[in-house]
Amino acid sequence: MPDCLFCRIIAGEIPAAKLFEDEECVAIRDVNPMAPTHALVLPREHIESASALDERHEALAGHLVRVGARLARENGIAESGYRLVLNTNADAGQTVFHLHLHLLGGRPMEWPPG
Ligand code: 5GP
Ligand code: ZN
């Protein structure tokens, strides 16, 4: 396993506020929330980014989106609206190179994003 912050959170070595977990993924609260609801859905498998997804990951990628939508419902933002975001590489501002789906909601958001 590479020395990876999110792998360490998934392994329980670093604490995080867990919102959901199953065999494929773990969802946590973002430590520095950018919206009233800001969660991260992490695949248990270490995958660096969306660019590293291959055909073996198709079901997993769909699962991460479904978990994000489910968390939106559970947090009461499904009707008002939310974003599911995969920041990928430098221009998108990716800082942790373990794939993570952001769930953001609970306030109106601008488009295009900054
Ligand atoms: P990125 O910029 O790579 O798309 O997103 C990384 C996210 O991870 C950021 O929103 C950041 O606030 C969050 N984050 C960084 N370190 C930690 C941590 O130790 N715990 C939690 N829960 N979130 C973290
Ligand atoms: Zn990792």
Side-chain angles (χ1 to χ4, degrees), residues 52-105:
L53 289 167
D54 64 34
E55 63 275 11
R56 290 176 302 122
H57 297 122
E58 283 190 3
L60 174 62
H63 185 65
L64 300 178
V65 172
R66 281 211 325 128
V67 169
R70 172 183 166 162
L71 288 170
R73 277 197 303 280
E74 289 174 359
N75 283 271
I77 57 170
E79 289 295 316
S80 52
Y82 58 92
R83 283 210 185 134
L84 297 174
V85 176
L86 293 173
N87 290 329
T88 305
N89 289 338
D91 276 0
Q94 184 176 5
T95 58
V96 180
F97 286 82
H98 179 129
L99 182 72
H100 49 283
L101 182 73
H102 292 259
L103 165 65
L104 294 147

Side-chain angles (χ1 to χ4, degrees), residues 1-2 4-8 10 44-47 97-98:
M1 187 196 293
C4 166
L5 173 66
F6 287 168
C7 281
R8 295 187 69 193
I10 290 161
R44 290 186 184 275
E45 180 180 345
H46 180 87
I47 301 165
F97 286 82
H98 179 129

Side-chain angles (χ1 to χ4, degrees), residues 19-71:
L19 300 171
F20 176 81
E21 66 181 314
D22 65 14
E23 283 181 6
E24 300 295 332
C25 69
V26 175
I28 59 173
R29 257 184 231 296
D30 196 292
V31 79
N32 183 25
M34 294 294 149
T37 296
H38 189 174
L40 304 171
V41 188
L42 319 174
R44 290 186 184 275
E45 180 180 345
H46 180 87
I47 301 165
E48 282 204 354
S49 74
S51 294
L53 289 167
D54 64 34
E55 63 275 11
R56 290 176 302 122
H57 297 122
E58 283 190 3
L60 174 62
H63 185 65
L64 300 178
V65 172
R66 281 211 325 128
V67 169
R70 172 183 166 162
L71 288 170

